[in-house]
PDB file of all heavy atoms in Angstrom:
ATOM      1  N   LEU A   1    -209.411  76.436  68.907  1.00  0.00           N
ATOM      2  CA  LEU A   1    -209.317  77.193  67.660  1.00  0.00           C
ATOM      3  C   LEU A   1    -208.914  76.333  66.467  1.00  0.00           C
ATOM      4  O   LEU A   1    -208.589  76.866  65.405  1.00  0.00           O
ATOM      5  CB  LEU A   1    -208.307  78.344  67.824  1.00  0.00           C
ATOM      6  CG  LEU A   1    -208.686  79.437  68.824  1.00  0.00           C
ATOM      7  CD1 LEU A   1    -207.640  80.549  68.809  1.00  0.00           C
ATOM      8  CD2 LEU A   1    -210.066  80.012  68.512  1.00  0.00           C
ATOM      9  N   SER A   2    -208.957  75.010  66.630  1.00  0.00           N
ATOM     10  CA  SER A   2    -208.553  74.165  65.506  1.00  0.00           C
ATOM     11  C   SER A   2    -209.386  74.390  64.245  1.00  0.00           C
ATOM     12  O   SER A   2    -208.830  74.377  63.135  1.00  0.00           O
ATOM     13  CB  SER A   2    -208.586  72.690  65.919  1.00  0.00           C
ATOM     14  OG  SER A   2    -209.845  72.318  66.428  1.00  0.00           O
ATOM     15  N   PRO A   3    -210.719  74.629  64.338  1.00  0.00           N
ATOM     16  CA  PRO A   3    -211.451  74.937  63.093  1.00  0.00           C
ATOM     17  C   PRO A   3    -210.957  76.201  62.400  1.00  0.00           C
ATOM     18  O   PRO A   3    -210.993  76.289  61.174  1.00  0.00           O
ATOM     19  CB  PRO A   3    -212.904  75.095  63.570  1.00  0.00           C
ATOM     20  CG  PRO A   3    -212.984  74.303  64.828  1.00  0.00           C
ATOM     21  CD  PRO A   3    -211.646  74.498  65.480  1.00  0.00           C
ATOM     22  N   VAL A   4    -210.507  77.171  63.201  1.00  0.00           N
ATOM     23  CA  VAL A   4    -209.964  78.398  62.603  1.00  0.00           C
ATOM     24  C   VAL A   4    -208.689  78.096  61.825  1.00  0.00           C
ATOM     25  O   VAL A   4    -208.503  78.560  60.688  1.00  0.00           O
ATOM     26  CB  VAL A   4    -209.690  79.452  63.705  1.00  0.00           C
ATOM     27  CG1 VAL A   4    -208.996  80.682  63.110  1.00  0.00           C
ATOM     28  CG2 VAL A   4    -210.972  79.835  64.414  1.00  0.00           C
ATOM     29  N   PHE A   5    -207.808  77.299  62.409  1.00  0.00           N
ATOM     30  CA  PHE A   5    -206.568  76.952  61.709  1.00  0.00           C
ATOM     31  C   PHE A   5    -206.853  76.087  60.483  1.00  0.00           C
ATOM     32  O   PHE A   5    -206.161  76.192  59.468  1.00  0.00           O
ATOM     33  CB  PHE A   5    -205.617  76.227  62.664  1.00  0.00           C
ATOM     34  CG  PHE A   5    -205.087  77.101  63.777  1.00  0.00           C
ATOM     35  CD1 PHE A   5    -205.185  76.716  65.106  1.00  0.00           C
ATOM     36  CD2 PHE A   5    -204.492  78.315  63.490  1.00  0.00           C
ATOM     37  CE1 PHE A   5    -204.716  77.515  66.124  1.00  0.00           C
ATOM     38  CE2 PHE A   5    -204.007  79.132  64.502  1.00  0.00           C
ATOM     39  CZ  PHE A   5    -204.119  78.732  65.828  1.00  0.00           C
ATOM     40  N   GLY A   6    -207.873  75.221  60.571  1.00  0.00           N
ATOM     41  CA  GLY A   6    -208.252  74.438  59.407  1.00  0.00           C
ATOM     42  C   GLY A   6    -208.750  75.318  58.278  1.00  0.00           C
ATOM     43  O   GLY A   6    -208.384  75.132  57.109  1.00  0.00           O
ATOM     44  N   TRP A   7    -209.594  76.279  58.621  1.00  0.00           N
ATOM     45  CA  TRP A   7    -210.114  77.232  57.621  1.00  0.00           C
ATOM     46  C   TRP A   7    -208.977  78.052  57.010  1.00  0.00           C
ATOM     47  O   TRP A   7    -208.927  78.252  55.784  1.00  0.00           O
ATOM     48  CB  TRP A   7    -211.146  78.138  58.288  1.00  0.00           C
ATOM     49  CG  TRP A   7    -211.745  79.159  57.370  1.00  0.00           C
ATOM     50  CD1 TRP A   7    -212.769  78.988  56.477  1.00  0.00           C
ATOM     51  CD2 TRP A   7    -211.343  80.537  57.251  1.00  0.00           C
ATOM     52  NE1 TRP A   7    -213.023  80.155  55.815  1.00  0.00           N
ATOM     53  CE2 TRP A   7    -212.169  81.126  56.269  1.00  0.00           C
ATOM     54  CE3 TRP A   7    -210.375  81.309  57.883  1.00  0.00           C
ATOM     55  CZ2 TRP A   7    -212.052  82.469  55.910  1.00  0.00           C
ATOM     56  CZ3 TRP A   7    -210.250  82.647  57.522  1.00  0.00           C
ATOM     57  CH2 TRP A   7    -211.077  83.211  56.540  1.00  0.00           C
ATOM     58  N   LEU A   8    -208.061  78.514  57.850  1.00  0.00           N
ATOM     59  CA  LEU A   8    -206.935  79.308  57.345  1.00  0.00           C
ATOM     60  C   LEU A   8    -206.043  78.483  56.423  1.00  0.00           C
ATOM     61  O   LEU A   8    -205.538  78.993  55.413  1.00  0.00           O
ATOM     62  CB  LEU A   8    -206.108  79.849  58.511  1.00  0.00           C
ATOM     63  CG  LEU A   8    -206.743  80.985  59.322  1.00  0.00           C
ATOM     64  CD1 LEU A   8    -205.885  81.315  60.539  1.00  0.00           C
ATOM     65  CD2 LEU A   8    -206.934  82.228  58.448  1.00  0.00           C
ATOM     66  N   SER A   9    -205.842  77.199  56.755  1.00  0.00           N
ATOM     67  CA  SER A   9    -204.985  76.371  55.894  1.00  0.00           C
ATOM     68  C   SER A   9    -205.623  76.147  54.529  1.00  0.00           C
ATOM     69  O   SER A   9    -204.922  75.983  53.530  1.00  0.00           O
ATOM     70  CB  SER A   9    -204.688  75.027  56.572  1.00  0.00           C
ATOM     71  OG  SER A   9    -205.820  74.187  56.573  1.00  0.00           O
ATOM     72  N   ASP A  10    -206.953  76.130  54.482  1.00  0.00           N
ATOM     73  CA  ASP A  10    -207.637  76.027  53.190  1.00  0.00           C
ATOM     74  C   ASP A  10    -207.546  77.326  52.400  1.00  0.00           C
ATOM     75  O   ASP A  10    -207.441  77.308  51.167  1.00  0.00           O
ATOM     76  CB  ASP A  10    -209.123  75.676  53.410  1.00  0.00           C
ATOM     77  CG  ASP A  10    -209.343  74.256  53.882  1.00  0.00           C
ATOM     78  OD1 ASP A  10    -208.491  73.390  53.590  1.00  0.00           O
ATOM     79  OD2 ASP A  10    -210.358  74.006  54.548  1.00  0.00           O
ATOM     80  N   ARG A  11    -207.601  78.452  53.099  1.00  0.00           N
ATOM     81  CA  ARG A  11    -207.624  79.755  52.414  1.00  0.00           C
ATOM     82  C   ARG A  11    -206.219  80.277  52.092  1.00  0.00           C
ATOM     83  O   ARG A  11    -205.979  80.801  51.004  1.00  0.00           O
ATOM     84  CB  ARG A  11    -208.355  80.785  53.295  1.00  0.00           C
ATOM     85  CG  ARG A  11    -209.830  80.494  53.508  1.00  0.00           C
ATOM     86  CD  ARG A  11    -210.612  80.527  52.199  1.00  0.00           C
ATOM     87  NE  ARG A  11    -212.041  80.292  52.411  1.00  0.00           N
ATOM     88  CZ  ARG A  11    -212.609  79.104  52.456  1.00  0.00           C
ATOM     89  NH1 ARG A  11    -211.856  78.015  52.345  1.00  0.00           N
ATOM     90  NH2 ARG A  11    -213.907  78.986  52.626  1.00  0.00           N
ATOM     91  N   LEU A  12    -205.314  80.160  53.038  1.00  0.00           N
ATOM     92  CA  LEU A  12    -203.978  80.739  52.867  1.00  0.00           C
ATOM     93  C   LEU A  12    -202.953  79.738  52.356  1.00  0.00           C
ATOM     94  O   LEU A  12    -201.895  80.130  51.857  1.00  0.00           O
ATOM     95  CB  LEU A  12    -203.481  81.328  54.193  1.00  0.00           C
ATOM     96  CG  LEU A  12    -204.373  82.381  54.856  1.00  0.00           C
ATOM     97  CD1 LEU A  12    -203.752  82.851  56.168  1.00  0.00           C
ATOM     98  CD2 LEU A  12    -204.612  83.561  53.919  1.00  0.00           C
ATOM     99  N   GLY A  13    -203.240  78.449  52.521  1.00  0.00           N
ATOM    100  CA  GLY A  13    -202.278  77.420  52.144  1.00  0.00           C
ATOM    101  C   GLY A  13    -201.738  76.709  53.367  1.00  0.00           C
ATOM    102  O   GLY A  13    -201.726  77.262  54.475  1.00  0.00           O
ATOM    103  N   ARG A  14    -201.282  75.475  53.166  1.00  0.00           N
ATOM    104  CA  ARG A  14    -200.808  74.669  54.300  1.00  0.00           C
ATOM    105  C   ARG A  14    -199.524  75.238  54.898  1.00  0.00           C
ATOM    106  O   ARG A  14    -199.384  75.335  56.120  1.00  0.00           O
ATOM    107  CB  ARG A  14    -200.556  73.224  53.857  1.00  0.00           C
ATOM    108  CG  ARG A  14    -201.608  72.600  52.959  1.00  0.00           C
ATOM    109  CD  ARG A  14    -202.984  72.584  53.545  1.00  0.00           C
ATOM    110  NE  ARG A  14    -203.896  71.836  52.686  1.00  0.00           N
ATOM    111  CZ  ARG A  14    -205.214  71.979  52.688  1.00  0.00           C
ATOM    112  NH1 ARG A  14    -205.787  72.861  53.504  1.00  0.00           N
ATOM    113  NH2 ARG A  14    -205.980  71.261  51.883  1.00  0.00           N
ATOM    114  N   LEU A  15    -198.561  75.601  54.043  1.00  0.00           N
ATOM    115  CA  LEU A  15    -197.254  76.033  54.556  1.00  0.00           C
ATOM    116  C   LEU A  15    -197.331  77.323  55.369  1.00  0.00           C
ATOM    117  O   LEU A  15    -196.717  77.394  56.445  1.00  0.00           O
ATOM    118  CB  LEU A  15    -196.266  76.182  53.404  1.00  0.00           C
ATOM    119  CG  LEU A  15    -194.827  76.515  53.808  1.00  0.00           C
ATOM    120  CD1 LEU A  15    -194.266  75.431  54.729  1.00  0.00           C
ATOM    121  CD2 LEU A  15    -193.939  76.676  52.575  1.00  0.00           C
ATOM    122  N   PRO A  16    -198.044  78.368  54.917  1.00  0.00           N
ATOM    123  CA  PRO A  16    -198.113  79.576  55.746  1.00  0.00           C
ATOM    124  C   PRO A  16    -198.673  79.318  57.144  1.00  0.00           C
ATOM    125  O   PRO A  16    -198.172  79.874  58.131  1.00  0.00           O
ATOM    126  CB  PRO A  16    -199.040  80.498  54.939  1.00  0.00           C
ATOM    127  CG  PRO A  16    -198.872  80.064  53.522  1.00  0.00           C
ATOM    128  CD  PRO A  16    -198.692  78.585  53.602  1.00  0.00           C
ATOM    129  N   VAL A  17    -199.707  78.469  57.247  1.00  0.00           N
ATOM    130  CA  VAL A  17    -200.275  78.184  58.569  1.00  0.00           C
ATOM    131  C   VAL A  17    -199.310  77.337  59.390  1.00  0.00           C
ATOM    132  O   VAL A  17    -199.174  77.531  60.601  1.00  0.00           O
ATOM    133  CB  VAL A  17    -201.639  77.482  58.425  1.00  0.00           C
ATOM    134  CG1 VAL A  17    -202.206  77.114  59.794  1.00  0.00           C
ATOM    135  CG2 VAL A  17    -202.622  78.378  57.686  1.00  0.00           C
ATOM    136  N   LEU A  18    -198.615  76.415  58.736  1.00  0.00           N
ATOM    137  CA  LEU A  18    -197.606  75.611  59.441  1.00  0.00           C
ATOM    138  C   LEU A  18    -196.507  76.507  59.993  1.00  0.00           C
ATOM    139  O   LEU A  18    -196.083  76.350  61.151  1.00  0.00           O
ATOM    140  CB  LEU A  18    -197.020  74.572  58.490  1.00  0.00           C
ATOM    141  CG  LEU A  18    -195.888  73.694  59.040  1.00  0.00           C
ATOM    142  CD1 LEU A  18    -196.356  72.910  60.258  1.00  0.00           C
ATOM    143  CD2 LEU A  18    -195.380  72.739  57.975  1.00  0.00           C
ATOM    144  N   LEU A  19    -196.037  77.446  59.193  1.00  0.00           N
ATOM    145  CA  LEU A  19    -195.000  78.370  59.665  1.00  0.00           C
ATOM    146  C   LEU A  19    -195.536  79.274  60.774  1.00  0.00           C
ATOM    147  O   LEU A  19    -194.807  79.609  61.717  1.00  0.00           O
ATOM    148  CB  LEU A  19    -194.480  79.205  58.498  1.00  0.00           C
ATOM    149  CG  LEU A  19    -193.725  78.426  57.414  1.00  0.00           C
ATOM    150  CD1 LEU A  19    -193.297  79.355  56.274  1.00  0.00           C
ATOM    151  CD2 LEU A  19    -192.511  77.714  58.001  1.00  0.00           C
ATOM    152  N   GLY A  20    -196.814  79.660  60.658  1.00  0.00           N
ATOM    153  CA  GLY A  20    -197.421  80.427  61.741  1.00  0.00           C
ATOM    154  C   GLY A  20    -197.469  79.622  63.032  1.00  0.00           C
ATOM    155  O   GLY A  20    -197.243  80.161  64.121  1.00  0.00           O
ATOM    156  N   GLY A  21    -197.744  78.316  62.895  1.00  0.00           N
ATOM    157  CA  GLY A  21    -197.724  77.449  64.065  1.00  0.00           C
ATOM    158  C   GLY A  21    -196.345  77.373  64.691  1.00  0.00           C
ATOM    159  O   GLY A  21    -196.209  77.384  65.924  1.00  0.00           O
ATOM    160  N   GLN A  22    -195.326  77.299  63.866  1.00  0.00           N
ATOM    161  CA  GLN A  22    -193.962  77.268  64.399  1.00  0.00           C
ATOM    162  C   GLN A  22    -193.612  78.588  65.093  1.00  0.00           C
ATOM    163  O   GLN A  22    -192.914  78.599  66.114  1.00  0.00           O
ATOM    164  CB  GLN A  22    -192.967  76.991  63.268  1.00  0.00           C
ATOM    165  CG  GLN A  22    -193.126  75.640  62.604  1.00  0.00           C
ATOM    166  CD  GLN A  22    -193.043  74.492  63.585  1.00  0.00           C
ATOM    167  OE1 GLN A  22    -192.040  74.320  64.263  1.00  0.00           O
ATOM    168  NE2 GLN A  22    -194.110  73.693  63.666  1.00  0.00           N
ATOM    169  N   ALA A  23    -194.126  79.695  64.552  1.00  0.00           N
ATOM    170  CA  ALA A  23    -193.897  80.995  65.191  1.00  0.00           C
ATOM    171  C   ALA A  23    -194.559  81.035  66.573  1.00  0.00           C
ATOM    172  O   ALA A  23    -193.993  81.571  67.530  1.00  0.00           O
ATOM    173  CB  ALA A  23    -194.439  82.113  64.300  1.00  0.00           C
ATOM    174  N   LEU A  24    -195.751  80.455  66.677  1.00  0.00           N
ATOM    175  CA  LEU A  24    -196.432  80.401  67.972  1.00  0.00           C
ATOM    176  C   LEU A  24    -195.672  79.513  68.954  1.00  0.00           C
ATOM    177  O   LEU A  24    -195.550  79.842  70.146  1.00  0.00           O
ATOM    178  CB  LEU A  24    -197.855  79.883  67.787  1.00  0.00           C
ATOM    179  CG  LEU A  24    -198.853  80.846  67.137  1.00  0.00           C
ATOM    180  CD1 LEU A  24    -200.129  80.116  66.743  1.00  0.00           C
ATOM    181  CD2 LEU A  24    -199.181  81.993  68.096  1.00  0.00           C
ATOM    182  N   LEU A  25    -195.166  78.373  68.469  1.00  0.00           N
ATOM    183  CA  LEU A  25    -194.359  77.509  69.338  1.00  0.00           C
ATOM    184  C   LEU A  25    -193.105  78.241  69.815  1.00  0.00           C
ATOM    185  O   LEU A  25    -192.726  78.148  70.989  1.00  0.00           O
ATOM    186  CB  LEU A  25    -193.965  76.232  68.584  1.00  0.00           C
ATOM    187  CG  LEU A  25    -195.070  75.219  68.296  1.00  0.00           C
ATOM    188  CD1 LEU A  25    -194.518  74.060  67.469  1.00  0.00           C
ATOM    189  CD2 LEU A  25    -195.688  74.691  69.586  1.00  0.00           C
ATOM    190  N   LEU A  26    -192.461  78.957  68.899  1.00  0.00           N
ATOM    191  CA  LEU A  26    -191.258  79.705  69.270  1.00  0.00           C
ATOM    192  C   LEU A  26    -191.581  80.785  70.300  1.00  0.00           C
ATOM    193  O   LEU A  26    -190.832  80.983  71.267  1.00  0.00           O
ATOM    194  CB  LEU A  26    -190.636  80.332  68.021  1.00  0.00           C
ATOM    195  CG  LEU A  26    -189.282  81.032  68.210  1.00  0.00           C
ATOM    196  CD1 LEU A  26    -188.242  80.050  68.741  1.00  0.00           C
ATOM    197  CD2 LEU A  26    -188.809  81.646  66.896  1.00  0.00           C
ATOM    198  N   ALA A  27    -192.719  81.465  70.110  1.00  0.00           N
ATOM    199  CA  ALA A  27    -193.131  82.489  71.080  1.00  0.00           C
ATOM    200  C   ALA A  27    -193.381  81.864  72.450  1.00  0.00           C
ATOM    201  O   ALA A  27    -193.040  82.440  73.489  1.00  0.00           O
ATOM    202  CB  ALA A  27    -194.388  83.199  70.577  1.00  0.00           C
ATOM    203  N   ALA A  28    -193.967  80.663  72.450  1.00  0.00           N
ATOM    204  CA  ALA A  28    -194.213  79.968  73.708  1.00  0.00           C
ATOM    205  C   ALA A  28    -192.906  79.625  74.416  1.00  0.00           C
ATOM    206  O   ALA A  28    -192.772  79.801  75.641  1.00  0.00           O
ATOM    207  CB  ALA A  28    -195.012  78.689  73.441  1.00  0.00           C
ATOM    208  N   LEU A  29    -191.940  79.138  73.657  1.00  0.00           N
ATOM    209  CA  LEU A  29    -190.664  78.735  74.246  1.00  0.00           C
ATOM    210  C   LEU A  29    -189.864  79.937  74.737  1.00  0.00           C
ATOM    211  O   LEU A  29    -189.206  79.872  75.787  1.00  0.00           O
ATOM    212  CB  LEU A  29    -189.860  77.942  73.220  1.00  0.00           C
ATOM    213  CG  LEU A  29    -190.512  76.630  72.758  1.00  0.00           C
ATOM    214  CD1 LEU A  29    -189.709  75.995  71.632  1.00  0.00           C
ATOM    215  CD2 LEU A  29    -190.656  75.658  73.927  1.00  0.00           C
ATOM    216  N   VAL A  30    -189.904  81.039  73.992  1.00  0.00           N
ATOM    217  CA  VAL A  30    -189.215  82.257  74.431  1.00  0.00           C
ATOM    218  C   VAL A  30    -189.845  82.784  75.718  1.00  0.00           C
ATOM    219  O   VAL A  30    -189.145  83.214  76.648  1.00  0.00           O
ATOM    220  CB  VAL A  30    -189.260  83.329  73.319  1.00  0.00           C
ATOM    221  CG1 VAL A  30    -188.781  84.679  73.851  1.00  0.00           C
ATOM    222  CG2 VAL A  30    -188.413  82.904  72.126  1.00  0.00           C
ATOM    223  N   THR A  31    -191.184  82.728  75.787  1.00  0.00           N
ATOM    224  CA  THR A  31    -191.871  83.175  77.000  1.00  0.00           C
ATOM    225  C   THR A  31    -191.507  82.301  78.188  1.00  0.00           C
ATOM    226  O   THR A  31    -191.287  82.796  79.302  1.00  0.00           O
ATOM    227  CB  THR A  31    -193.397  83.142  76.772  1.00  0.00           C
ATOM    228  OG1 THR A  31    -193.730  83.947  75.637  1.00  0.00           O
ATOM    229  CG2 THR A  31    -194.132  83.669  78.002  1.00  0.00           C
ATOM    230  N   ALA A  32    -191.417  80.982  77.965  1.00  0.00           N
ATOM    231  CA  ALA A  32    -191.011  80.071  79.043  1.00  0.00           C
ATOM    232  C   ALA A  32    -189.568  80.329  79.451  1.00  0.00           C
ATOM    233  O   ALA A  32    -189.223  80.255  80.648  1.00  0.00           O
ATOM    234  CB  ALA A  32    -191.177  78.628  78.584  1.00  0.00           C
ATOM    235  N   TRP A  33    -188.733  80.618  78.492  1.00  0.00           N
ATOM    236  CA  TRP A  33    -187.312  80.868  78.751  1.00  0.00           C
ATOM    237  C   TRP A  33    -187.113  82.129  79.591  1.00  0.00           C
ATOM    238  O   TRP A  33    -186.385  82.131  80.576  1.00  0.00           O
ATOM    239  CB  TRP A  33    -186.587  80.978  77.412  1.00  0.00           C
ATOM    240  CG  TRP A  33    -185.148  81.381  77.495  1.00  0.00           C
ATOM    241  CD1 TRP A  33    -184.219  80.969  78.399  1.00  0.00           C
ATOM    242  CD2 TRP A  33    -184.480  82.303  76.628  1.00  0.00           C
ATOM    243  NE1 TRP A  33    -182.996  81.560  78.142  1.00  0.00           N
ATOM    244  CE2 TRP A  33    -183.138  82.379  77.051  1.00  0.00           C
ATOM    245  CE3 TRP A  33    -184.880  83.039  75.519  1.00  0.00           C
ATOM    246  CZ2 TRP A  33    -182.207  83.194  76.417  1.00  0.00           C
ATOM    247  CZ3 TRP A  33    -183.953  83.835  74.886  1.00  0.00           C
ATOM    248  CH2 TRP A  33    -182.625  83.905  75.328  1.00  0.00           C
TER     249      TRP A  33
END
């Protein structure tokens, strides 16, 4: 899905997608925990 995230970063801005990525990482870690 990297092209999707690239498209979103162009449309929504770099920081919102970066923060969304951190939210996904946090969700992954909570699920592992």
